[in-house]
Amino acid sequence: MGNSTFWGPDWDSLQNQDPEIASLLLKELERARGGLQLIASENFTSPAVLAALGSTFSNKYAEGYPGKRYYGGCSVVDEAEVIGIERAKKLFDADHANLQPHSGASANIAVYGAFTKPGDTVLAMSLAQGGHLTHGSPVSFSGKWFNPIGYSVDPKTELIDYDNVRDLAKQHKPKMIVAGATAYPRLVDFKLMREIADEVGAILWVDAAHFIGLVAGKAIPSPVPHADVVSFTTHKVLRGPRGGMILCKAQHAQAIDKAVFPMMQGGPLMHGVAAKAVALKECATPEYQQYAKNVITNAQALSEGLKAEGMRPVSGGTDTHLVLLDLTPVGVTGKDAEKRCDASQITLNKNPIPNDPLPPMTASGIRVGSPSVTTQGMGVPEMKQIASFIAQAVKSESGHDKIADEVNKLCKAFPAYPQKY
Ligand code: DSN
């Protein structure tokens, strides 16, 4: 080996062979570097993770699990997968880990596959209240093949209404109860969710995609001791490659592994598995633990800054990496806010708020997250600046170029990928 450009990302050969795609890759890098990336589910993964993704592991078929593959030549990828599994078990203090799901949705299909049959009842937070498509939306397999029951947040506090969860659980006797969401800024009481699941004999599944990175960094409590199974994506706060992962209790290990392969997937993406292992090693460092704490401090500063600008943080604030903002007080829809921010080089997404009177593609709110800007090294003073940029962008019908110039200046001072890459 020795020559890192042979197997790592090799811009020169890509540029020569396919300048069209090469220029788009560089253009995307510049887009991301030139503006503020505030999508709560995105991050800047490390060059080491990217190198594993751009490796010859991508070539290897490895259906099965370490030591039990359907193809020859798997001894090397076996080693990497075992390292990754052991790192995951240690980091999260979990009995069992499966690193093969291609994505969060794939991981979630496997959870259904392990614990339910079509037609079974599953109780989860409604999509309209902050849940996820795979938790029972009618447009997803989960709503088409299962009988989803949705729980809500309390309309006043906008916190999960655990009495509502318990009442629905007793009424519908679900096979599985889901904790976890895509637009819920607060901590979930996993112990209470476990108690409710036990009262009705349900499996407790925590979809930890959004906050597992904060758990890895020991910045918030872990769902692992309470849940039968925890699924998540590896590319959000966790800062790994795009992909999924599942942790579970020992008694469910076989069911989960069988549901991932062969029930739901074929050949695993071994470059992704190796990259997950790299990310898990990074997560076990003191630097990452500090990062996870900073992510929360920054999200809280953003929340305060945006509140001071007249936007209403749903539930009054955040305990995590994301802030959900009701824009009704400033008289702008989520759709328009997203567009105006885009024109100002601020990337975020429109988002329904609980009990939103507007349709999801218009929405009354926006969702902002701190994982990427925290990776860039920004702190509380920059969050105040960012809140001001967002407010200027959202409230103005023109002049976004000028805001974009200011945004660009800030981003240049905290470059993503400062190393020559
Ligand atoms: N798309 C993810 C998010 O942005 O929350 C969830 O799948």
Side-chain angles (χ1 to χ4, degrees), residues 78-101:
D78 273 8
E79 282 188 58
E81 187 166 350
V82 168
I83 289 172
I85 290 169
E86 291 308 315
R87 285 179 185 169
K89 281 162 61 178
K90 190 165 175 217
L91 183 67
F92 296 111
D93 200 13
D95 294 346
H96 182 71
N98 187 310
L99 272 59
Q100 293 193 5

Side-chain angles (χ1 to χ4, degrees), residues 74-138:
C74 289
S75 60
V76 180
V77 294
D78 273 8
E79 282 188 58
E81 187 166 350
V82 168
I83 289 172
I85 290 169
E86 291 308 315
R87 285 179 185 169
K89 281 162 61 178
K90 190 165 175 217
L91 183 67
F92 296 111
D93 200 13
D95 294 346
H96 182 71
N98 187 310
L99 272 59
Q100 293 193 5
H102 299 334
S103 68
S106 303
N108 291 356
I109 295 171
V111 172
Y112 283 93
F115 297 110
T116 58
K117 292 204 165 41
D120 278 348
T121 298
V122 177
L123 176 62
M125 185 186 266
S126 313
L127 184 63
Q129 301 272 310
H132 188 251
L133 280 169
T134 57
H135 300 172
S137 158

Side-chain angles (χ1 to χ4, degrees), residues 194-206:
R194 172 81 264 167
E195 281 168 23
I196 295 170
D198 285 345
E199 282 173 36
V200 297
I203 289 286
L204 178 62
W205 163 26
V206 176

Side-chain angles (χ1 to χ4, degrees), residues 287-304:
E287 291 76 19
Y288 182 83
Q289 289 193 7
Q290 188 57 54
Y291 163 74
K293 288 186 182 74
N294 293 348
V295 164
I296 298 175
T297 311
N298 278 348
Q300 289 171 339
L302 261 179
S303 176
E304 284 306 310

Side-chain angles (χ1 to χ4, degrees), residues 17 25 34 97 114 132 151 166 187 190 193 206 213 219 225 230 232 237 244 254-255 267 277 280 348 387:
Q17 284 175 35
L25 297 185
H132 188 251
Y151 61 80
R166 179 177 275 112
L187 299 180
F190 302 120
M193 291 299 276
V206 176
V230 178
F232 51 92
V237 185
Q254 213 185 13
L280 290 166
L348 46 71

